[in-house]
Amino acid sequence: MLMQALQDLRNLNKEEITALCRELGWQSFRGGQVFSWVHAKGAASIEEMTNLSREQRQQLSEQYEIAPLVLLDSWQGDGGDTIKFLWQLADGNTVEQVLMFYAGENSRDRVSTCVSTQTGCAMGCKFCATAMCGRGRNLTVGEIVGQILLANGWSRNHGKPSITNVVYMGMGEPFANWDNVKKSLQILNDKNGLNIGWRRMTVSTCGLADKIKELAVEEFPLELSVSLHSADDEIRMALMPINKKYPLAVLMQACDAFTEKTGRRITYEYALFRDVNDRREDAEKLVRLLGGRLAFVNLIPANPVEEAGFFPSKRERIKEFADILEKNHIAVAVRVSRGQDIEAACGQLKRRNQGGDPKENVGKKAEV
Ligand code: SF4
């Protein structure tokens, strides 16, 4: 007889877990218990669910499991405030995740994690190490949520606070896996799960205009971040092939639809590459593009991707760029590039693990 593959409980939301418990002939409240084990306590196995009877655990285990994410590698940088994980999925694929600790005001620490949504990416951004890993596949809901649950467990086991913010900005384009990303957001927001507020979750896109418009009509009050990297179609096209399908005029129309419908400000990510998009005229073009729009610009001192020929801008150039935006009333922040010493830019740890980058790792191995 053929054995049926076990399904991952992390793929299920509360309603689905409750329906499953009813199907098994259990009382409905068991649904809440199982959901809490999976999505709040971060149980690694059904065996841990000690408020279920041994028979019930056995019954559940006949069809379901909590699919393991195996920690293949992890590195820490920024004095231990940035941790990078390389997870191996059930099919042997690997994905990266970054966990960042920020000391906050009034003892309110922010713990942010940057999660992956695909094992590679088809968008082909020229500066991106993930693009060099190939197209990859979509992550399941369980694989997305699992990253956050496991990183949260890591944080607590090391005496650190729980995750407060989730950013979908790791490997992959979240809108290319939107159904699974959307369900993972709902699970993370569930009060009986990790209960992460919508405003503490950010979806970052390279600019899939159709999906931005779709998001505008859906009722998710999450934060939207758009990777812009240039206000000039020609330069943007050279950096991001997606600009061919969705040139700036189309992208900005979608962004306007989003802000009109939601009233929310969009964050525009702008990684500064030396002599590519960091000149005075580039800043002036950005002012013309975003002037009058509800926008916030994150200037990112780019991580170097030497094999692609991209190098970070000089500090003075970044300051001058930011000053031009500020003088023209564009809200801007220069983001501190966390994890540069462990190459936190997405896809780089995976590439090295695959033997794609022979450079010595200068980060410190995290204790796991
Ligand atoms: S930057 Fe993001 S969208 Fe572009 S190739 Fe990399 S993972 Fe994909």
Side-chain angles (χ1 to χ4, degrees), residues 71-80 82-86 154 158 341-342 349 352-353 361-368:
L71 188 59
L72 270 193
D73 212 343
S74 71
W75 296 88
Q76 61 177 308
D78 299 316
T82 303
I83 319 286
K84 189 164 189 175
F85 302 107
L86 182 69
W154 186 96
H158 287 76
D341 56 340
I342 55 166
L349 186 57
R352 185 178 20 257
N353 204 274
N361 197 318
V362 291
K364 182 175 160 216
K365 202 163 180 20
E367 206 179 293
V368 289

Side-chain angles (χ1 to χ4, degrees), residues 39-211:
H39 290 298
K41 295 176 190 154
S45 74
I46 291 171
E47 266 315 292
E48 286 179 35
M49 302 180 183
T50 46
N51 53 4
L52 300 183
S53 69
R54 186 181 299 234
E55 292 70 35
Q56 284 172 321
R57 279 180 269 156
Q58 175 60 34
Q59 212 185 346
L60 197 54
S61 303
E62 283 163 14
Q63 291 177 57
Y64 287 89
E65 64 172 349
I66 296 178
L69 298 188
V70 179
L71 188 59
L72 270 193
D73 212 343
S74 71
W75 296 88
Q76 61 177 308
D78 299 316
D81 283 345
T82 303
I83 319 286
K84 189 164 189 175
F85 302 107
L86 182 69
W87 301 109
Q88 185 171 50
L89 311 174
D91 64 356
N93 265 300
T94 53
V95 289
E96 293 180 16
Q97 175 185 19
V98 184
L99 184 61
M100 290 156 286
F101 298 94
Y102 300 87
E105 287 168 16
N106 308 322
S107 312
R108 286 178 65 110
D109 290 335
R110 186 158 66 88
V111 183
S112 186
T113 185
C114 183
V115 295
S116 293
T117 55
Q118 299 182 299
T119 61
C121 189
M123 299 298 144
C125 301
K126 300 296 182 204
F127 49 83
C128 173
T130 299
M132 295 170 203
C133 298
R135 301 174 73 87
R137 67 161 173 85
N138 285 342
L139 296 196
T140 63
V141 174
E143 289 166 340
I144 299 170
V145 174
Q147 293 170 62
I148 297 136
L149 289 165
L150 289 177
N152 203 44
W154 186 96
S155 192
R156 287 196 306 231
N157 291 341
H158 287 76
K160 291 174 180 269
S162 298
I163 288 172
T164 57
N165 294 65
V166 179
V167 187
Y168 287 73
M169 201 192 261
M171 295 171 59
E173 160 57 51
F175 280 141
N177 184 16
W178 183 229
D179 287 346
N180 289 348
V181 167
K182 190 161 50 176
K183 190 169 172 185
S184 71
L185 287 160
Q186 289 163 321
I187 289 173
L188 293 170
N189 176 250
D190 195 297
K191 291 201 169 23
N192 300 117
L194 289 182
N195 191 19
I196 298 175
W198 286 112
R199 290 292 169 86
R200 291 176 176 270
M201 296 194 280
T202 302
V203 169
S204 174
T205 177
C206 67
L208 302 193
D210 293 349
K211 291 290 184 187

